Amino acid sequence: MPSKPPQTSVWQPTRRKANRRKPMTTWPIFEQAHIELHAKLKDYLRTRRVGAKALSDDVRAEIPTLAAKHLMANNMQARIDYLDVASTMIVDQLARLPPGKRVSWVTLIAEQFVTTLPDAATFDPKTLQTWAAEQLKGCNFIGMVEASLYTNVGLIREGMKQAVSWHVHALVWGPAQDDVKALVKRINGANRTLIPGLDAARAASFNATEVEGKVIYMLKAPQSEYRIWAHREEAIDTETGEISKFTTGKFYQGKRPLLNRPGLQAKMCNAMWGLRLDDLSFAAGEGVKLLSRINYRALAKSRAWTAAHEKRRQE
């Protein structure tokens, strides 16, 4: 066995391309994915096997299509309806930016917003929103809190098997691209993430005409189960020809669709219980009035239902 890796070692990743799905950046993909997730969850609730993860009556009440008007995060039709409103209004707003003005797509992920799966239902997204707003201070933005399920966290976190990483996607406009790069560098220098070596902040710029795809991605329901893998390298002993493999101390993540794992999807419903889409969305600067208009329009059916329900109660 070599006492140290030789200079000519080669890392060979083992990602499985078959598990990759198309990026959720178009309306047809978004709508179809959420319709399929809803159907799978309904089937799971109807034919749930003994010992499968149970859903409380409160969680079940959030799932039916008729409940979409209340914008619960667990409701797939609510996701579709909310996107219908938000995409139109955000695209219209950012289309008014000066010609050539770039928009930034920023993702913020920090270790302090990782919870165990059982504790996820008690997570307060406002803590993450407050932190993210501080990181993006001085920017105009509209963002969304998202949850990612990791199912083999024990590889890097002793005593933790499954975890939820709460993070933010945001559309940012206003600052120059050099300023955004400096902001990202500062965030990465001050924050760690669940997976060693993964940046806490990432940003990419694009034209205002490309906004819709980012909005679509930002508003999706949890779609994937994430797995963590260790980087391994292969080394050849130049004297004996013996081949050995060793871990580098670095990690990467892979994912596979929740669609084929309704039990895990049910666990994520428990994690998202009680959260509404208008609670998960947040904004700053010019984004505040925009988000207020989005939520007001998106909740129109809920207001009408509440008014009718109150009228019947008083009769």
Side-chain angles (χ1 to χ4, degrees), residues 11 13-17 19-21 107 109-110 114 146-153 155-156 163-167 169 193-200 202 217 220 224-232 250-256:
W11 169 56
T14 57
R15 288 183 176 89
R16 299 179 181 179
K17 294 184 179 180
N19 286 329
R20 295 180 183 174
R21 56 174 170 77
T107 298
I109 307 170
V114 175
E146 187 178 2
S148 294
L149 172 64
Y150 287 82
T151 54
N152 67 333
V153 186
L155 182 66
I156 55 176
V164 175
S165 176
W166 299 88
H167 58 282
H169 295 299
T193 60
L194 171 65
I195 304 175
L198 185 69
D199 287 337
R202 300 192 300 272
Y217 187 89
K220 71 184 188 307
S224 302
E225 170 203 359
Y226 289 84
R227 304 279 292 177
I228 302 167
W229 306 100
H231 278 165
R232 295 177 65 85
K250 297 181 180 180
F251 301 86
Y252 68 87
Q253 65 181 20
K255 60 185 177 181
R256 51 191 181 185

Coordinates of all heavy atoms in Angstrom, one line a residue, residues 11 13-17 19-21 107 109-110 114 146-153 155-156 163-167 169 193-200 202 217 220 224-232 250-256:
W11 N -9.4 11.2 -9.8 CA -10.7 11.1 -9.1 C -11.7 10.6 -10.2 O -11.8 11.2 -11.3 CB -11.1 12.4 -8.5 CG -12.6 12.4 -8.1 CD1 -13.2 11.5 -7.3 CD2 -13.6 13.3 -8.6 NE1 -14.5 11.8 -7.2 CE2 -14.8 12.9 -7.9 CE3 -13.6 14.4 -9.4 CZ2 -16.0 13.6 -8.1 CZ3 -14.8 15.0 -9.6 CH2 -16.0 14.6 -9.0
P13 N -15.7 10.2 -10.5 CA -17.0 10.4 -9.8 C -17.9 9.3 -10.2 O -17.8 8.7 -11.3 CB -17.5 11.8 -10.4 CG -16.7 11.9 -11.7 CD -15.4 11.2 -11.5
T14 N -18.9 9.1 -9.4 CA -19.9 8.0 -9.6 C -21.3 8.5 -9.7 O -22.2 7.8 -9.4 CB -19.8 6.9 -8.5 OG1 -20.0 7.6 -7.3 CG2 -18.4 6.3 -8.5
R15 N -21.5 9.7 -10.2 CA -22.9 10.2 -10.3 C -23.6 9.4 -11.3 O -23.1 9.0 -12.3 CB -22.8 11.7 -10.8 CG -22.4 12.7 -9.7 CD -22.5 14.1 -10.3 NE -22.2 15.1 -9.3 CZ -20.9 15.5 -9.1 NH1 -19.9 15.0 -9.8 NH2 -20.7 16.4 -8.2
R16 N -24.9 9.2 -11.1 CA -25.7 8.4 -12.0 C -26.6 9.3 -12.9 O -27.5 9.9 -12.4 CB -26.6 7.5 -11.2 CG -25.9 6.5 -10.3 CD -26.8 5.6 -9.5 NE -26.1 4.7 -8.7 CZ -26.7 3.8 -7.8 NH1 -28.0 3.8 -7.8 NH2 -26.0 3.0 -7.1
K17 N -26.2 9.4 -14.1 CA -26.9 10.3 -15.0 C -28.4 9.9 -15.2 O -29.2 10.7 -15.5 CB -26.3 10.3 -16.4 CG -24.9 10.9 -16.4 CD -24.3 11.0 -17.8 CE -22.9 11.6 -17.8 NZ -22.3 11.6 -19.1
N19 N -30.6 9.3 -13.1 CA -31.4 9.9 -12.1 C -31.6 11.4 -12.3 O -32.4 12.0 -11.5 CB -30.8 9.7 -10.6 CG -31.0 8.2 -10.2 OD1 -32.0 7.6 -10.6 ND2 -30.1 7.7 -9.4
R20 N -30.9 12.0 -13.2 CA -31.1 13.4 -13.5 C -32.4 13.7 -14.2 O -32.8 13.0 -15.1 CB -29.9 13.9 -14.3 CG -28.6 13.8 -13.6 CD -27.5 14.4 -14.5 NE -26.2 14.2 -13.8 CZ -25.0 14.5 -14.4 NH1 -25.0 14.9 -15.7 NH2 -23.9 14.4 -13.7
R21 N -33.1 14.7 -13.7 CA -34.3 15.1 -14.4 C -34.0 16.5 -15.1 O -33.1 17.2 -14.7 CB -35.4 15.2 -13.4 CG -35.2 16.1 -12.2 CD -36.4 16.3 -11.4 NE -36.2 16.9 -10.1 CZ -36.0 18.3 -10.0 NH1 -36.1 19.0 -11.1 NH2 -35.8 18.8 -8.8
T107 N -28.6 32.0 -4.5 CA -29.0 30.9 -3.6 C -28.1 31.0 -2.4 O -26.9 31.2 -2.4 CB -28.7 29.5 -4.3 OG1 -29.5 29.4 -5.5 CG2 -29.1 28.4 -3.3
I109 N -27.4 29.2 1.4 CA -27.6 28.0 2.2 C -26.6 28.1 3.3 O -25.4 28.3 3.1 CB -27.2 26.7 1.3 CG1 -28.0 26.7 0.0 CG2 -27.4 25.4 2.1 CD1 -27.5 25.6 -1.0
A110 N -27.1 27.9 4.5 CA -26.2 28.0 5.7 C -26.5 26.9 6.7 O -27.6 26.4 6.8 CB -26.3 29.3 6.4
V114 N -30.2 24.0 9.1 CA -30.4 22.6 8.9 C -31.0 22.0 10.2 O -30.6 22.3 11.3 CB -29.1 21.9 8.7 CG1 -29.3 20.4 8.6 CG2 -28.4 22.4 7.4
E146 N -37.0 27.4 0.6 CA -37.2 26.1 0.1 C -36.6 25.1 1.1 O -35.7 25.4 1.9 CB -36.6 25.9 -1.3 CG -36.9 24.6 -1.9 CD -36.3 24.5 -3.4 OE1 -35.6 25.4 -3.8 OE2 -36.6 23.4 -4.0
A147 N -37.1 23.8 1.0 CA -36.6 22.8 1.9 C -36.0 21.6 1.1 O -36.7 21.2 0.1 CB -37.7 22.3 2.8
S148 N -34.9 21.1 1.4 CA -34.3 20.0 0.7 C -34.1 18.9 1.7 O -33.5 19.1 2.8 CB -32.9 20.3 0.1 OG -33.1 21.3 -1.0
L149 N -34.5 17.7 1.4 CA -34.4 16.5 2.2 C -33.1 15.7 1.9 O -32.8 15.3 0.8 CB -35.6 15.6 2.0 CG -35.5 14.2 2.7 CD1 -35.5 14.4 4.2 CD2 -36.7 13.3 2.2
Y150 N -32.3 15.5 3.0 CA -31.1 14.7 2.9 C -31.3 13.4 3.7 O -31.7 13.5 4.9 CB -29.9 15.4 3.4 CG -29.4 16.5 2.5 CD1 -30.0 17.8 2.5 CD2 -28.3 16.3 1.6 CE1 -29.6 18.8 1.6 CE2 -27.9 17.3 0.8 CZ -28.5 18.6 0.8 OH -28.1 19.6 -0.1
T151 N -31.0 12.3 3.1 CA -31.4 11.0 3.8 C -30.2 10.2 4.3 O -30.4 9.1 4.8 CB -32.3 10.1 2.8 OG1 -31.6 10.0 1.6 CG2 -33.6 10.8 2.6
N152 N -29.0 10.7 4.1 CA -27.9 9.9 4.7 C -26.9 10.8 5.3 O -25.6 10.8 5.1 CB -27.2 9.1 3.6 CG -26.5 9.9 2.5 OD1 -26.9 11.1 2.3 ND2 -25.4 9.4 1.9
V153 N -27.4 11.8 6.1 CA -26.5 12.8 6.8 C -25.5 12.2 7.7 O -24.5 12.8 8.1 CB -27.4 13.8 7.5 CG1 -26.6 15.0 8.0 CG2 -28.5 14.4 6.5
L155 N -23.3 10.3 7.3 CA -22.0 10.3 6.7 C -21.1 11.4 7.2 O -19.9 11.3 7.2 CB -22.1 10.3 5.1 CG -20.8 10.2 4.3 CD1 -20.2 8.9 4.5 CD2 -21.1 10.5 2.8
I156 N -21.7 12.6 7.5 CA -21.0 13.8 7.9 C -21.4 14.3 9.2 O -20.7 15.2 9.8 CB -21.1 14.9 6.8 CG1 -22.5 15.2 6.5 CG2 -20.3 14.5 5.6 CD1 -22.7 16.4 5.6
A163 N -32.1 14.8 7.4 CA -32.1 16.2 7.7 C -32.8 17.0 6.6 O -32.9 16.6 5.5 CB -30.7 16.7 8.0
V164 N -33.3 18.2 7.0 CA -33.8 19.1 6.0 C -33.0 20.4 6.1 O -32.7 21.0 7.1 CB -35.3 19.5 6.4 CG1 -35.8 20.6 5.5 CG2 -36.2 18.3 6.3
S165 N -32.5 20.7 4.9 CA -31.7 22.0 4.7 C -32.6 23.0 4.2 O -33.1 23.0 3.0 CB -30.6 21.7 3.7 OG -29.9 22.9 3.5
W166 N -32.9 24.0 5.0 CA -33.8 25.1 4.6 C -32.9 26.2 4.0 O -31.9 26.6 4.6 CB -34.5 25.7 5.9 CG -35.4 24.7 6.5 CD1 -35.1 23.9 7.5 CD2 -36.8 24.5 6.3 NE1 -36.1 23.1 7.9 CE2 -37.2 23.5 7.1 CE3 -37.7 25.1 5.4 CZ2 -38.5 23.0 7.1 CZ3 -39.0 24.6 5.4 CH2 -39.4 23.6 6.3
H167 N -33.3 26.7 2.8 CA -32.4 27.6 2.1 C -33.3 28.6 1.3 O -34.5 28.5 1.3 CB -31.4 26.9 1.2 CG -32.1 26.0 0.2 ND1 -32.6 24.7 0.5 CD2 -32.4 26.1 -1.1 CE1 -33.1 24.2 -0.6 NE2 -33.0 25.0 -1.6
H169 N -33.8 30.9 -2.4 CA -33.5 31.3 -3.8 C -34.1 32.7 -3.9 O -35.2 33.0 -3.5 CB -34.2 30.4 -4.8 CG -33.7 29.0 -4.8 ND1 -32.4 28.7 -5.1 CD2 -34.3 27.8 -4.6 CE1 -32.2 27.4 -5.0 NE2 -33.3 26.8 -4.7
T193 N -21.7 25.4 5.5 CA -22.9 24.6 5.0 C -22.9 23.2 5.6 O -21.9 22.8 6.1 CB -23.0 24.6 3.5 OG1 -21.8 23.9 3.0 CG2 -23.0 26.0 2.9
L194 N -24.0 22.5 5.4 CA -24.1 21.1 5.8 C -23.0 20.3 5.2 O -22.4 19.5 5.9 CB -25.5 20.6 5.4 CG -25.7 19.1 5.6 CD1 -25.7 18.8 7.1 CD2 -27.0 18.6 5.0
I195 N -22.8 20.4 4.0 CA -21.8 19.6 3.3 C -20.4 20.4 3.2 O -20.4 21.5 2.6 CB -22.2 19.3 1.8 CG1 -23.6 18.6 1.9 CG2 -21.2 18.4 1.1 CD1 -24.2 18.3 0.6
P196 N -19.4 19.8 3.8 CA -18.1 20.5 3.7 C -17.7 20.8 2.3 O -17.8 19.9 1.4 CB -17.1 19.5 4.4 CG -18.0 18.7 5.3 CD -19.3 18.6 4.6
G197 N -17.2 22.0 2.1 CA -16.8 22.4 0.7 C -17.8 23.0 -0.1 O -17.5 23.6 -1.2
L198 N -19.1 22.9 0.3 CA -20.2 23.6 -0.5 C -20.3 25.0 -0.1 O -20.3 25.4 1.0 CB -21.5 22.8 -0.3 CG -22.7 23.3 -1.1 CD1 -22.5 22.9 -2.5 CD2 -24.0 22.7 -0.5
D199 N -20.4 25.9 -1.1 CA -20.5 27.3 -0.9 C -21.9 27.7 -0.2 O -22.9 27.1 -0.6 CB -20.4 28.1 -2.1 CG -18.9 28.2 -2.6 OD1 -18.0 28.0 -1.8 OD2 -18.7 28.4 -3.8
A200 N -21.8 28.6 0.7 CA -23.1 29.1 1.3 C -23.9 30.0 0.4 O -25.1 30.2 0.6 CB -22.8 29.8 2.6
R202 N -24.3 31.4 -3.8 CA -23.9 31.2 -5.2 C -24.8 32.3 -6.0 O -25.9 32.5 -5.6 CB -24.3 29.8 -5.7 CG -23.5 28.7 -5.1 CD -23.6 27.4 -5.8 NE -25.0 27.0 -5.9 CZ -25.7 26.2 -5.0 NH1 -25.0 25.8 -3.9 NH2 -26.9 25.8 -5.2
Y217 N -38.5 27.9 -11.1 CA -37.7 27.1 -10.3 C -37.8 27.4 -8.8 O -37.9 26.6 -7.9 CB -36.2 27.2 -10.7 CG -35.3 26.2 -10.0 CD1 -35.1 24.9 -10.5 CD2 -34.7 26.6 -8.8 CE1 -34.2 24.0 -9.8 CE2 -33.8 25.7 -8.1 CZ -33.6 24.4 -8.6 OH -32.8 23.5 -8.0
K220 N -41.1 26.0 -6.9 CA -41.4 24.5 -7.0 C -41.5 23.9 -5.6 O -40.9 24.4 -4.6 CB -40.4 23.8 -7.8 CG -39.0 23.6 -7.1 CD -38.0 23.0 -8.0 CE -36.7 22.7 -7.3 NZ -36.1 23.8 -6.6
S224 N -36.9 16.4 -4.8 CA -35.8 15.4 -4.8 C -35.4 15.0 -3.4 O -35.6 15.7 -2.4 CB -34.6 16.0 -5.5 OG -34.8 16.4 -6.8
E225 N -34.9 13.8 -3.3 CA -34.2 13.3 -2.2 C -32.7 13.4 -2.5 O -32.2 13.0 -3.5 CB -34.5 11.8 -2.0 CG -33.7 11.1 -0.9 CD -33.6 9.6 -1.1 OE1 -34.2 9.1 -2.0 OE2 -32.9 9.0 -0.3
Y226 N -32.0 14.0 -1.5 CA -30.6 14.3 -1.7 C -29.8 13.3 -0.9 O -30.1 12.9 0.2 CB -30.2 15.7 -1.3 CG -30.7 16.7 -2.3 CD1 -32.0 17.2 -2.2 CD2 -29.9 17.2 -3.3 CE1 -32.5 18.2 -3.0 CE2 -30.4 18.2 -4.2 CZ -31.7 18.7 -4.1 OH -32.2 19.6 -4.9
R227 N -28.7 12.8 -1.6 CA -27.7 11.9 -0.9 C -26.3 12.5 -1.0 O -26.0 13.2 -1.9 CB -27.7 10.6 -1.6 CG -29.1 9.9 -1.7 CD -29.5 9.2 -0.5 NE -28.6 8.0 -0.2 CZ -28.8 7.2 0.9 NH1 -29.7 7.5 1.8 NH2 -28.0 6.2 1.0
I228 N -25.6 12.3 0.1 CA -24.2 12.8 0.2 C -23.2 11.7 -0.1 O -23.3 10.6 0.4 CB -24.0 13.4 1.6 CG1 -25.0 14.5 1.8 CG2 -22.5 13.9 1.7 CD1 -25.0 14.9 3.3
W229 N -22.2 12.0 -0.9 CA -21.2 11.0 -1.3 C -19.8 11.6 -1.0 O -19.6 12.8 -1.2 CB -21.3 10.6 -2.8 CG -22.7 10.1 -3.1 CD1 -23.6 10.9 -3.8 CD2 -23.3 8.9 -2.9 NE1 -24.8 10.1 -3.9 CE2 -24.6 8.9 -3.4 CE3 -22.8 7.7 -2.2 CZ2 -25.5 7.8 -3.3 CZ3 -23.7 6.6 -2.2 CH2 -25.0 6.7 -2.7
A230 N -18.9 10.7 -0.6 CA -17.5 11.1 -0.4 C -16.7 11.1 -1.7 O -16.9 10.1 -2.5 CB -16.9 10.2 0.7
H231 N -15.9 12.1 -1.9 CA -15.0 12.0 -3.1 C -13.9 10.9 -2.8 O -13.3 10.9 -1.7 CB -14.2 13.3 -3.2 CG -15.0 14.4 -4.0 ND1 -14.7 15.7 -4.0 CD2 -16.1 14.3 -4.7 CE1 -15.6 16.4 -4.7 NE2 -16.4 15.5 -5.2
R232 N -13.8 10.1 -3.7 CA -12.7 9.0 -3.6 C -11.8 9.1 -4.8 O -12.2 9.4 -5.9 CB -13.4 7.6 -3.6 CG -14.3 7.4 -2.3 CD -15.0 6.1 -2.4 NE -14.0 5.0 -2.3 CZ -13.5 4.5 -1.2 NH1 -13.9 5.0 0.0 NH2 -12.7 3.5 -1.2
K250 N -13.4 15.4 0.8 CA -14.4 16.3 0.2 C -15.6 15.5 -0.2 O -15.6 14.2 -0.2 CB -13.8 16.9 -1.1 CG -12.6 17.8 -0.9 CD -12.1 18.3 -2.2 CE -10.9 19.3 -2.0 NZ -10.3 19.8 -3.2
F251 N -16.7 16.2 -0.4 CA -18.0 15.5 -0.6 C -18.8 16.2 -1.7 O -18.5 17.3 -2.1 CB -18.9 15.6 0.7 CG -18.3 14.9 1.9 CD1 -17.4 15.7 2.7 CD2 -18.5 13.6 2.2 CE1 -16.8 15.1 3.8 CE2 -17.9 13.0 3.3 CZ -17.0 13.8 4.1
Y252 N -19.7 15.4 -2.3 CA -20.6 16.0 -3.3 C -22.0 15.4 -3.0 O -22.1 14.5 -2.3 CB -20.1 15.7 -4.7 CG -20.2 14.3 -5.2 CD1 -21.4 13.7 -5.7 CD2 -19.1 13.4 -5.1 CE1 -21.4 12.4 -6.1 CE2 -19.1 12.1 -5.5 CZ -20.3 11.6 -6.0 OH -20.4 10.3 -6.4
Q253 N -23.0 16.0 -3.6 CA -24.3 15.6 -3.4 C -25.0 15.1 -4.7 O -24.7 15.6 -5.8 CB -25.2 16.7 -2.8 CG -25.4 17.9 -3.6 CD -26.2 18.9 -3.0 OE1 -26.4 19.0 -1.7 NE2 -26.8 19.9 -3.7
G254 N -25.8 14.1 -4.6 CA -26.6 13.6 -5.8 C -28.0 13.6 -5.4 O -28.4 13.8 -4.2
K255 N -28.9 13.4 -6.3 CA -30.3 13.5 -6.0 C -31.1 12.5 -6.9 O -30.7 12.1 -7.9 CB -30.9 14.9 -6.2 CG -30.8 15.4 -7.6 CD -31.2 16.9 -7.6 CE -31.1 17.5 -9.0 NZ -31.5 18.9 -9.0
R256 N -32.2 12.1 -6.3 CA -33.2 11.3 -7.1 C -34.6 11.7 -6.8 O -34.9 12.3 -5.7 CB -33.0 9.8 -6.8 CG -33.0 9.5 -5.3 CD -32.5 8.0 -5.0 NE -32.5 7.7 -3.6 CZ -32.1 6.5 -3.2 NH1 -31.6 5.6 -4.0 NH2 -32.1 6.2 -1.9

